[in-house]
Amino acid sequence: MITPYLTFNGNCKDALNFYRAVFHCDEPKVLPYGDYMPEGSKTPPELLRTWVMHAEMVICGTNVWFADEATPPKNGDNIKLTATAPTGKEATAIFDALCVGGEVTLPPTETFYSVFHAAVTDKFGVNWNVVAEEAPKQVEG
């Protein structure tokens, strides 16, 4: 099993709320830092108390972990998450929501395997592929 783990620098709660709205998820499990102070942290304790030490949320059937890191993470350009939706219409809705404040890296296109395949880097710097499980209609020839 591989568990996607997304890290942020103080805006993890915003990311959780955003993805919860995009993917219509249940309430995430969230554990704040509280009084815990990671060794070597340069983040002021009064700020860190409200940050997310660990959170879990099921997105499209996959348990995804989230956290605020005391050391600012770099955008992980080598990591992409793929959201698959049953239909092109549902894939379009997910893609459109992820595009708000984000940057399209692959405009929506129909392929031999899907009526919808697109990619976007969302407003939190997370790279997404969005693919519909719906196959294009085959033209009889």
Side-chain angles (χ1 to χ4, degrees):
M1 175 174 62
I2 295 173
T3 302
Y5 192 32
L6 305 178
T7 58
F8 303 88
N9 188 238
N11 60 344
C12 185
K13 286 180 186 173
D14 294 336
L16 284 164
N17 290 333
F18 177 71
Y19 296 131
R20 184 173 181 218
V22 168
F23 295 107
H24 309 285
C25 303
D26 291 335
E27 186 76 28
K29 296 178 210 165
V30 179
L31 179 65
Y33 276 96
D35 290 328
Y36 173 73
M37 188 67 176
E39 192 174 320
S41 175
K42 304 267 189 273
T43 304
E46 63 276 4
L47 186 62
L48 195 61
R49 278 188 184 91
T50 63
W51 285 12
V52 175
M53 184 167 70
H54 181 78
E56 294 183 20
M57 184 165 59
V58 176
I59 300 175
C60 297
T62 299
N63 192 38
V64 180
W65 293 0
F66 297 79
D68 280 314
E69 296 274 325
T71 305
K74 293 182 174 75
N75 287 343
D77 290 336
N78 60 334
I79 298 172
K80 287 188 167 78
L81 301 177
T82 299
T84 55
T87 67
K89 183 177 180 181
E90 290 167 289
T92 300
I94 290 169
F95 179 74
D96 289 347
L98 289 170
C99 283
V100 175
E103 181 181 337
V104 174
T105 55
L106 174 66
T109 185
E110 184 172 301
T111 68
F112 68 92
Y113 54 86
S114 175
V115 295
F116 186 96
H117 184 172
V120 59
T121 301
D122 73 20
K123 65 184 177 182
F124 295 103
V126 176
N127 298 307
W128 292 91
N129 286 313
V130 182
V131 180
E133 293 173 334
E134 179 183 350
K137 291 183 174 58
Q138 298 297 321
V139 178
E140 296 293 324

